Amino acid sequence: MKTFEKVTPILKRNWPKIILGLLLIIVVDLLQLTIPKIIQGSVDIMQMDNVAHSALFKPAITIFLLAVSIAFIRFLWRLLLIGNAWVIDRDLRQMYYEHLLLLSQNYFNKAKTGDLMAYATNDLNAVRMLMGFGLIILIDIIIFSIGAIFFMTNINLRLTLLAVIPMPLLSIIIIIFGKKIHKHFGNVQKAFASLSGKVQESISGIRVVKAFVQEESELDKMSESAYDYVKSNIALVRIFGIFHPFLFLIITISMGIVLVFGGEAVILNEISMGEFIAFFSYLGMFVWPAIAIGWLVNLYQRGTASLKRMNTIFEVQPEITDADADENITQIKGDVEVKNLTFGYNETVILKNISFRVKAGETLAVVGRTGCGKSTLIDLITRVYNPPEGSIFLDENEIFRIPLQTLHNDIVMVPQDIFLFSDTIAGNISLGNPDVTTEVLEEVSRRAQVHEEIQEFENGFETVIGERGVTLSGGQKQRLAIARALLTNPNVLILDDALSAVDTKTEKNILEHLVKIRKDKTTIIISHRISSVQHADKILVIDDKTIAETGTHEELLTLNGIYRDLYEKQQIKEKLERNSE
């Protein structure tokens, strides 16, 4: 029952349709069970002397009407149950996606994209089949088994007992093979996830593959993953290759018994020819559940194996929650204070005894060598990771008291590694703001120094930029992301090396616009380029995991320390670049 815990609420919401559909199946099955009785009577009539041809009209018409009724009702229950299975698929898919959105970023640092894709495709399909055809087959098995046994017993008890002698073997076979099917299908799903991950990785990194001429190497890796997937499926097919013949062997033995002993009963006039034909028809109906059990076992093992795999995702709880949040805090003005912050990953200290304060409306800059912990500091301020208690305060409220919705509404970060959707330029800039006007889009793109380049495209703002913005340069991507951030006009704007791919002239223009339009709002700039931070009200220099220097640009230059060293080296580099031009 724990396996079906996440599906149960969805089933309850759709319970009326499921119940009605199952009732219609029962009606259809009962109607089908009456047909052999009608045939029995017709055959017995034909055995009589001087029977009028018209005597068969009534049973023939009855069978025709039953067939039409069965066809119509079968259409209805298929519409209800199979259609409902797709509804369950949709709801479960939605639940899965919503859960992924709730999970913290740290989870996605560890999870494989291929696995997550496999859950949303192959596994959900197996669950849908179980919830649709699985329920249908289960009811069919119950009704046909009970109904067929009832009518067979009514015809001849001894013949019925002889017919079901081989049937207990079915239980033994199902128990033995059911566990094997479950295990092998789990292996198939894992292999499919691995294959999906490899395809996704290869396509995402196709430019790197081609740049380093690794097509053959990637093809070999893909062939290996595909072979593992095929090998897992063949192992599963091998199990079914043994399973189904055993089922048909038992069924055939049962039919042989009925043919021998039933034929003898007809010869000895213990049962009529009509009863023998009806008995054989009911045995055929009883055979269907025996065959359907194999299919049901397959669907059940596949479905439960997939549900268990999905439950491992549903059981993951987000690390970042609103457990201690104060819902009355609906806005962040922009006062940021960090007190004695020490933080690390897996017992490795990244930041040590970090303390500073930036008041609302000020610009703070953080500089330092690569890997010094600048981005980690920002991840803690935006609660990508949970900071230690009592270390980060926003507007004098500890960060844990601020609802995540408020935090994400009022703090916007532009990272160095920009992600753009396969959408239009307008769609990427107006992300989350679908009603924004063209005039506003043009304004923010001008402030981000990308408007002129947008106009050069044939379709302007309606230009589709391709997956991950593949048609744009690195600098264009960064400026589109800055335009997207400016559109939201957040109280706290964080630029995490977001100008690294922009030339110094364009960078200067962007920063000048930021100074003008964000006089009353907080801006935090993370950069390794001194030119990006000279205008800041306060500059922090991080070195050896802690704050080594702090002050304005002029103050730091007089210290003759790390900051001045970085500044002079970058000045020399810029001169060399200008001379080379």
Side-chain angles (χ1 to χ4, degrees), residues 179-222:
K179 293 179 180 178
K180 293 182 180 293
I181 291 169
H182 187 92
K183 175 185 175 182
H184 282 283
F185 185 72
N187 293 336
V188 167
Q189 296 296 71
K190 289 177 184 177
F192 179 79
S194 177
L195 180 62
S196 299
K198 186 59 195 169
V199 172
Q200 184 271 337
E201 188 179 62
S202 297
I203 294 174
S204 297
I206 191 66
R207 285 184 291 177
V208 176
V209 171
K210 296 180 99 43
F212 286 87
V213 197
Q214 292 298 304
E215 289 91 342
E216 289 189 12
S217 175
E218 288 300 304
L219 186 60
D220 289 341
K221 292 177 183 177
M222 183 64 67

Side-chain angles (χ1 to χ4, degrees), residues 112-119 121-123 186-202 221-229 232 309:
K112 294 181 179 179
T113 304
D115 287 345
L116 300 180
M117 290 169 60
Y119 293 142
T121 52
N122 228 27
D123 286 299
N187 293 336
V188 167
Q189 296 296 71
K190 289 177 184 177
F192 179 79
S194 177
L195 180 62
S196 299
K198 186 59 195 169
V199 172
Q200 184 271 337
E201 188 179 62
S202 297
K221 292 177 183 177
M222 183 64 67
S223 297
E224 185 178 342
S225 294
Y227 177 73
D228 288 340
Y229 180 55
S232 299
R309 278 167 50 82

